[in-house]
Amino acid sequence: MLKITLEQWRMFHAVVKFGGFNQASQGVYKSQSSIHNAVGKIEESLGVKLFLIEGRKTVLTEAGELMLRRADYLLEEAKKIEDVGLMLSKGIESKLKIAVDEIFPRSLLYQVLEIVSIEFPFLQIELLESVLSGSNELLEQGNVEIAISPIYLGSGFSESLCHIPFIAVASPEHPLNKLDRKLTLEDLKCYRQIVVRDSIQGECKDKVSEGWLEANQRWTVSHMQSSIDMICKGLGFAWLPSNLIEAQLYNGLLKTLQLKENTKRSTQLYLTFKDGDCLGPAAKSFLSEVRLQCMNEMY
């Protein structure tokens, strides 16, 4: 039999979160005495002191720090249990939100979405397109249920989905395509490179731009299509996903740069979600179908 209730752990957590008993009382709409009583029962049951009063500050003891780490995990798991229960009570979800990196093959994505929509005709699908870390940020913030991203996310479930090949291209009239020899990295650095900006919104020291070669001149854009348009107009060169420029290569708007080395590149995409038990039938159908389609296409 447990000595301490989940509600008492919530009160303990509230004191830490809001910075004191009085502040916690206002934050969780409980009387200060009831919060004192809850924390007191924890201390009495465990035989430890959780807080010290230093002047006007309520600070955790060493034992309190340890209990807080465990309590955080306990409360998070309790919330997950409630989320699963709510999902089960609602049955099929009415909306599915997915974040997808712009380099993921669009024809494949649209095919998967159409199959899921046929299976769940009343499902509303919200597709958020992102670059680099953007999909993972949306997933971690709880704005989407599923993310397809080139960045591995340590938390949650993250599996390798496919590899996207990249090729170096420029307009046929670009000076790089006029040189009558194989191109070196130093050749590329002498010309403007078009790169795509990471769409992550929060502060991140690891924010990157896709494929930058440290060219002497760089233009940074927010979307892959802007990069393609600029390169077709002869404004620079870039490494681009081959699946996004098939038409431009076929129509002669783009030409592959003849590199001396490093002629092939690929980026791995990951399929990521937080908690499979909390996903509804439509989300699970999307996961199964996107895996199957990627396997069939051998990406």
Side-chain angles (χ1 to χ4, degrees):
M1 188 71 178
L2 295 176
K3 296 180 179 179
I4 303 166
T5 68
L6 196 61
E7 183 64 15
Q8 287 167 347
W9 284 121
R10 284 197 177 105
M11 295 303 99
F12 164 64
H13 183 270
V15 175
V16 179
K17 178 182 177 181
F18 293 102
F21 288 87
N22 183 48
Q23 298 92 321
S25 171
Q26 299 174 31
V28 298
Y29 305 105
K30 295 272 188 179
S31 68
Q32 191 170 340
S33 61
S34 66
I35 296 177
H36 268 289
N37 186 52
V39 173
K41 284 187 176 180
I42 297 175
E43 292 178 327
E44 182 181 349
S45 298
L46 299 179
V48 296
K49 190 71 175 173
L50 299 177
F51 294 105
L52 292 174
I53 305 300
E54 296 181 354
R56 295 185 176 181
K57 292 184 179 181
T58 302
V59 297
L60 282 166
T61 63
E62 186 174 339
E65 292 279 2
L66 176 59
M67 290 296 104
L68 177 63
R69 291 196 294 272
R70 297 298 179 125
D72 283 345
Y73 176 79
L74 175 66
L75 294 172
E76 182 61 30
E77 288 301 306
K79 182 180 182 303
K80 288 180 181 179
I81 292 172
E82 291 177 355
D83 289 342
V84 171
L86 288 172
M87 185 273 292
L88 292 174
S89 69
K90 293 178 181 178
I92 298 173
E93 64 268 46
S94 61
K95 181 181 291 187
L96 176 60
K97 294 185 286 185
I98 308 164
V100 180
D101 194 271
E102 289 190 355
I103 69 174
F104 187 73
R106 284 298 175 264
S107 59
L108 190 153
L109 175 63
Y110 302 153
Q111 183 177 354
V112 171
L113 294 178
E114 177 64 12
I115 291 171
V116 174
S117 291
I118 291 172
E119 185 178 358
F120 302 95
F122 299 106
L123 178 70
Q124 296 181 32
I125 296 176
E126 187 173 340
L127 182 67
L128 287 79
E129 297 172 285
S130 60
V131 177
L132 295 170
S133 310
S135 290
N136 285 346
E137 181 183 45
L138 290 167
L139 181 67
E140 290 191 302
Q141 291 176 346
N143 294 322
V144 297
E145 288 79 48
I146 299 170
I148 296 177
S149 169
I151 310 297
Y152 178 80
L153 186 64
S155 59
F157 182 87
S158 198
E159 67 177 80
S160 175
L161 181 63
C162 60
H163 286 81
I164 304 298
F166 278 65
I167 54 177
V169 294
S171 163
E173 303 305 316
H174 192 279
L176 284 170
N177 274 321
K178 297 298 184 180
L179 295 176
D180 190 24
R181 57 177 173 80
K182 295 285 187 178
L183 303 175
T184 67
L185 178 61
E186 294 307 312
D187 290 326
L188 299 183
K189 287 183 177 181
C190 293
Y191 292 91
R192 180 188 301 127
Q193 184 180 0
I194 311 297
V195 296
V196 182
R197 178 186 296 109
D198 195 322
S199 64
I200 189 171
Q201 296 298 307
E203 291 297 323
C204 177
K205 65 179 180 180
D206 297 323
K207 186 181 290 190
V208 294
S209 296
E210 179 63 48
W212 185 38
L213 300 177
E214 299 183 357
N216 293 332
Q217 189 177 164
R218 175 177 69 164
W219 286 3
T220 303
V221 297
S222 297
H223 298 284
M224 195 65 68
Q225 189 57 51
S226 299
S227 176
I228 295 171
D229 292 342
M230 288 179 175
I231 296 163
C232 286
K233 294 181 182 300
L235 298 175
F237 77 93
W239 284 86
L240 293 175
S242 58
N243 69 84
L244 295 184
I245 55 174
E246 291 175 349
Q248 290 84 352
L249 289 169
Y250 180 80
N251 294 326
L253 295 174
L254 291 176
K255 183 178 178 181
T256 303
L257 295 176
Q258 299 304 304
L259 303 179
K260 185 176 181 180
E261 54 191 17
N262 197 21
T263 58
K264 294 182 179 179
R265 289 185 178 183
S266 70
T267 293
Q268 180 167 304
L269 287 178
Y270 297 92
L271 180 63
T272 305
F273 50 90
K274 282 289 188 181
D275 189 338
D277 290 337
C278 290
L279 295 177
K284 291 177 179 177
S285 176
F286 176 86
L287 292 175
S288 298
E289 197 59 42
V290 76
R291 289 170 179 142
L292 177 63
Q293 294 299 325
C294 284
M295 186 182 301
N296 289 341
E297 297 292 334
M298 296 186 69
Y299 276 101

